[in-house]
Amino acid sequence: MAFDPARSITVPIVMGVATVALSIALLVGWILVIVRNVELTQRVWANSWLMGGGVVSFAAIMAVLVLFSVFLTREIRQTQRQVRFIDSVTHELKSPLASLRLCVETLARRDLDRERQREMLRMMLDDIDRLGAFIDDILEASRIRHGRSDLAVSRVVLQELTDRAARHVRTRYQLEDGELTVTIEPPDLELNTEATGLEVVLRNLLDNAVKYSDRPATVRLDARITRSDRVSIEVVDNGIGIPSEHLSHVFDRFYRVPEENVAARRGTGLGLYVASALVRNLGGQLQVASAGPRTGTTMRFELPGPPAAKERTS
Ligand code: ADP
């Protein structure tokens, strides 16, 4: 759920002031009733008005108290997530920097053979990629929150875009052949969309699919044209799965399923928030399905149809 501090604070303040005013009015009213008790009890209409007003005011105060409790719980959860997020950010920034430093020091000091030098450079590129992807996610999340996600629509050959995203994930996790397969049907499928946004989405989904799987992973990306002439894209893994009670939260900002096997894997809880907002911008809706722990996860969305396919059939 998106959280807007400016809007969230005005409403509770107004509600709080109104409740205090109502409580004071109620108290003064009852004091007056007690003081003028004899006089009032002789007037039936005054009694019923006082009674009715008292009950309504009491109900209103109770309702505001309940709303306040809900609001407070939401704030506390958000703060807890932000604290976890800051821990993750610190980790995500520090660990690739430490690793880069180590590689540079090793390259500078030692007489390494060519093979080892290549390995060091590959590790450094991997760290730079990780930092880059992380910073992209943060910037994209901030743009989305401030409603500044621009669309530069162009003709996209889906196979080329998915190949780039898959190559990125294969390199990052050093996947063996067959751990990640991509099937585009038809293979020359083209669509009008925003290439960068779609690539960020696919990278995030594929990255998660591998990250939350035990190795060797079995991850599939399938894209096809639906009956209603839209493009359906599905990323399926056979990894740790998502317990049903957490399914509706995984697209929230900073949300990570609070389980050990998730905490043991690096993450910030931003990837799916960014991916789902980007898919929405592209005209689709990201959906998640999982039958529970250890049953794998499926991420699916549809995008507006491929004009190239329409031209072929007409
Ligand atoms: P993170 O940086 O933690 O991976 P995401 O926003 O990408 O953040 O995902 C949010 C949470 O959803 C993850 O922390 C994880 O608990 C869960 N999740 C996402 N993708 C998968 C998946 N393919 N399999 C299992 N759990 C997943």
Side-chain angles (χ1 to χ4, degrees), residues 150-197:
D150 309 324
L151 278 188
V153 174
S154 64
R155 186 96 139 195
V156 173
V157 179
L158 197 55
Q159 185 83 58
E160 287 173 9
L161 193 138
T162 49
D163 281 352
R164 269 203 305 277
R167 201 175 321 125
H168 175 87
V169 175
R170 283 192 186 107
T171 314
R172 179 166 181 190
Y173 291 97
Q174 299 190 297
L175 296 182
E176 302 288 335
D177 284 350
E179 284 192 282
L180 167 56
T181 54
V182 176
T183 313
I184 312 282
E185 198 46 56
D188 59 348
L189 182 53
E190 290 184 13
L191 68 164
N192 277 332
T193 192
E194 210 255 342
T196 321

Side-chain angles (χ1 to χ4, degrees), residues 3 12 17 26-27 43 46 59 88-89 106 111 117 120 127 161-162 175 185 214 220 224-225 245 247-248 257 297:
F3 171 74
V17 171
L26 203 61
L27 196 68
R43 299 186 194 169
S88 311
V89 167
T106 315
D111 243 357
Q117 274 182 11
M120 287 282 148
D127 287 328
L161 193 138
T162 49
L175 296 182
E185 198 46 56
D214 295 326
R220 254 177 34 225
R224 60 180 179 82
I225 301 173
E245 67 272 26
L247 283 174
S248 58
V257 171
T297 301

Side-chain angles (χ1 to χ4, degrees), residues 253-294:
R253 217 160 50 119
F254 307 140
Y255 194 84
R256 305 199 76 210
V257 171
E259 304 225 327
E260 258 176 43
N261 56 2
V262 171
R265 302 163 207 239
R266 273 193 296 257
T268 55
L270 271 185
L272 287 184
Y273 168 75
V274 167
S276 71
L278 286 174
V279 170
R280 221 173 15 254
N281 279 355
L282 301 176
Q285 197 193 357
L286 186 57
Q287 291 168 331
V288 56
S290 174
R294 313 229 63 81

Side-chain angles (χ1 to χ4, degrees), residues 178-231:
E179 284 192 282
L180 167 56
T181 54
V182 176
T183 313
I184 312 282
E185 198 46 56
D188 59 348
L189 182 53
E190 290 184 13
L191 68 164
N192 277 332
T193 192
E194 210 255 342
T196 321
L198 184 55
E199 195 173 329
V200 171
V201 171
L202 296 180
R203 270 194 203 189
N204 265 316
L205 298 185
L206 290 174
D207 194 282
N208 276 349
V210 177
K211 178 165 72 173
Y212 296 112
S213 290
D214 295 326
R215 304 289 299 277
T218 309
V219 174
R220 254 177 34 225
L221 186 157
D222 293 326
R224 60 180 179 82
I225 301 173
T226 65
R227 278 197 207 125
S228 48
D229 233 359
R230 286 167 70 83
V231 175

Side-chain angles (χ1 to χ4, degrees), residues 38-66:
V38 181
E39 195 184 326
L40 279 170
T41 43
Q42 284 155 9
R43 299 186 194 169
V44 178
W45 62 267
N47 272 343
S48 42
W49 269 105
L50 276 171
M51 202 58 194
V55 169
V56 170
S57 307
F58 185 71
I61 291 169
M62 283 298 135
V64 170
L65 280 180
V66 170

